[in-house]
Amino acid sequence: LTMAGLRVGLFLLGCSGLLAFNAHVLRVKLPWPVPHALRLTGPAAIHAGQRACVRLNLEREEEEPTVEELKAELLELVGEISNRGLDADADDATDIADIVSELESAQQLVDWQRRPEWGGRWRLRYTSSRAFHANQGLIGYSRDVKGLTTPELFMSVQPQYRFLTFEEPIAYEEGSLVGFFGKITKADAVLAECTWRATPDGMLSVTPVEIVVGERKWEPYDRQARALRVLSATSPIYIDDTLLVVRAQLAEVVFIFERAR
């Protein structure tokens, strides 16, 4: 029995019940025999039709959501969680993980590096990475330097040249010494300039080349190099014009980006 057949049967059941009731009230003889199970009178016939409608509505509610509906629900959820996922409770994290898995199954993404949507600028909206949150960002600069925070992460991708830049704008604490020198040196963001490639098994491999803060540049090392590893090997699992989702090597760790305006 197919779902379509079940729906037709429920619909006919409701119609037959209502017809039997109307025939009884109007004392009109139907041109076909009414099965005993449908020989309902009074409110019983109406209730039979109502129950059929309720069952049909319940089945409609159980239909698979569209990709657009999944995206809207996902962005609504992450929009309600502060600090890019740091303040997510267990229920929120589970709901987000479930929606991400549904999007992954819906698109079955392959050859993400050839998609025209891949290039451009993306803004991180949510991550379940504990390492990212422990480092107070991707590069770990605000963890290492007191008096500032890096509350945002942007990722700019150049497909043609295989360049990728992580950018974390700096917010200085009011009256801090580091803020004074930051303004002098025009250090308004910390950048990690990288190269990227698609591996044979479809992963996104990112290699940091240089850290840039204002007029200073240096090669990533020690804690900053380790901090960048959280996004150095991931699998893009969903992409379109406005949404990018990548999964880390630990399957429960995801990063959700939205197209930056």
Side-chain angles (χ1 to χ4, degrees):
L1 181 63
T2 65
M3 183 62 71
L6 180 60
R7 289 176 178 169
V8 171
L10 288 171
F11 175 75
L12 292 176
L13 172 63
C15 291
S16 299
L18 290 175
L19 282 171
F21 170 65
N22 290 332
H24 173 78
V25 171
L26 299 174
R27 300 188 181 279
V28 174
K29 186 175 181 180
L30 293 174
W32 62 84
V34 179
H36 180 75
L38 294 178
R39 291 177 186 172
L40 305 175
T41 60
I46 297 177
H47 292 161
Q50 290 175 337
R51 286 196 300 272
C53 292
V54 167
R55 290 193 193 101
L56 193 57
N57 287 333
L58 287 174
E59 285 165 13
R60 286 174 179 165
E61 291 175 1
E62 291 173 0
E63 290 180 356
E64 292 295 326
T66 66
V67 168
E68 289 303 317
E69 289 171 340
L70 289 170
K71 281 179 55 180
E73 185 178 1
L74 180 63
L75 292 174
E76 181 180 358
L77 272 173
V78 300
E80 295 171 352
I81 301 170
S82 58
N83 295 326
R84 297 173 290 186
L86 176 62
D87 298 330
D89 59 28
D91 290 339
D92 288 335
T94 298
D95 289 343
I96 289 172
D98 289 344
I99 297 172
V100 165
S101 295
E102 291 186 66
L103 284 171
E104 181 179 10
S105 298
Q107 190 173 61
Q108 297 289 319
L109 182 61
V110 294
D111 291 335
W112 51 266
Q113 72 276 16
R114 303 181 190 277
R115 298 281 296 247
E117 304 95 336
W118 166 233
R121 196 164 187 250
W122 300 92
R123 173 189 171 219
L124 181 69
R125 294 293 310 276
Y126 171 90
T127 180
S128 53
S129 170
R130 295 182 181 179
F132 179 94
H133 294 303
N135 292 328
Q136 300 175 32
L138 176 63
I139 303 171
Y141 193 70
S142 61
R143 174 202 59 195
D144 297 334
V145 181
K146 304 303 179 184
L148 60 84
T149 59
T150 52
E152 295 275 12
L153 172 64
F154 296 93
M155 179 177 69
S156 297
V157 181
Q158 298 182 48
Q160 183 178 359
Y161 302 105
R162 296 291 196 271
F163 289 153
L164 186 152
T165 301
F166 292 116
E167 175 189 353
E168 294 186 297
I170 297 173
Y172 293 102
E173 292 181 4
E174 188 69 28
S176 65
L177 185 61
V178 68
F180 173 75
F181 285 108
K183 291 178 181 178
I184 293 177
T185 58
K186 299 179 180 179
D188 56 358
V190 52
L191 309 178
E193 297 181 345
C194 313
T195 61
W196 69 270
R197 67 184 181 90
T199 66
D201 58 353
M203 294 190 70
L204 167 62
S205 176
V206 176
T207 302
V209 176
E210 196 170 56
I211 303 293
V212 180
V213 180
E215 299 173 351
R216 297 185 297 133
K217 301 179 181 181
W218 65 90
E219 290 184 12
Y221 67 94
D222 196 26
R223 294 206 296 178
Q224 289 176 355
R226 291 198 299 272
L228 284 162
R229 289 177 189 168
V230 300
L231 272 171
S232 65
T234 60
S235 298
I237 58 175
Y238 182 87
I239 187 171
D240 64 17
D241 288 331
T242 59
L243 184 68
L244 168 66
V245 183
V246 301
R247 192 184 296 280
Q249 291 176 301
L250 289 174
E252 66 270 20
V253 175
V254 297
F255 293 82
I256 299 172
F257 293 86
E258 191 175 16
R259 180 75 68 184
R261 298 176 181 177

